[in-house]
Amino acid sequence: MTEDTVGTMIPLKFLEVDQTKNRLVVSNRRAVVETKLVNLEPGQLVTGIIRSIKPYGAFVDIGGISGLLHISQISHDHISDVSKVLQEGQEIKAMVLTQDKDKGRFSLSTKTLEAEPGDMVRRSSREGVV
């Protein structure tokens, strides 16, 4: 906390309250994530930016919170290497599949948006990603 934030109200989520140890653990990040997750519903179409690519999928930033686009949810076609289909910094449209407000997580799918199975892979090939 800096001097600029003294006297400013910030949202907090209580993570742990232990009166015997006189301990209180709070999180601003979790409170902010929960507030933003309220606006996300399964089935909702969202636009985001790919922030990182992992062997198991990609993390997509949706308005300051990250959701997982699992490799199995990218396309109906088999994908062995996520980086051959997606790139960091790429803007994508996806559908919210699930959300876990308690853990501050949500999952995404682009394969549900494919007009024809495999469009995501073919589109990436035409755009020179592969």
Side-chain angles (χ1 to χ4, degrees):
M1 189 176 260
T2 65
E3 285 187 31
D4 297 344
T5 57
V6 173
T8 304
M9 292 190 56
I10 57 173
L12 297 173
K13 176 176 173 87
F14 290 94
L15 300 180
E16 181 182 339
V17 178
D18 188 340
Q19 290 180 334
T20 59
K21 293 181 181 177
N22 200 24
R23 179 180 164 135
L24 178 65
V25 179
V26 295
S27 171
N28 170 254
R29 181 192 164 286
R30 292 281 294 272
V32 170
V33 166
E34 279 188 11
T35 301
K36 290 183 178 184
L37 276 176
V38 168
N39 298 325
L40 290 179
E41 294 294 328
Q44 181 179 349
L45 184 63
V46 294
T47 301
I49 305 290
I50 297 173
R51 292 296 175 210
S52 67
I53 294 179
K54 304 292 181 194
Y56 52 87
F59 285 95
V60 182
D61 182 293
I62 309 290
I65 55 174
S66 290
L68 175 63
L69 173 57
H70 191 268
I71 191 170
S72 66
Q73 291 298 323
I74 295 172
S75 176
H76 287 283
D77 285 0
H78 174 73
I79 296 174
S80 57
D81 186 354
V82 178
S83 64
K84 289 188 177 182
V85 181
L86 302 172
Q87 293 179 328
E88 287 185 25
Q90 178 182 353
E91 184 176 276
I92 64 165
K93 289 185 179 178
M95 183 177 290
V96 177
L97 281 183
T98 62
Q99 67 171 327
D100 183 340
K101 291 180 183 175
D102 293 333
K103 293 184 180 179
R105 298 188 222 177
F106 62 98
S107 63
L108 301 166
S109 174
T110 54
K111 86 176 182 181
T112 56
L113 304 178
E114 291 181 323
E116 294 289 326
D119 276 354
M120 188 73 174
V121 174
R122 285 189 291 281
R123 184 174 48 239
S124 295
S125 296
R126 284 193 307 269
E127 294 172 357
V129 176
V130 177

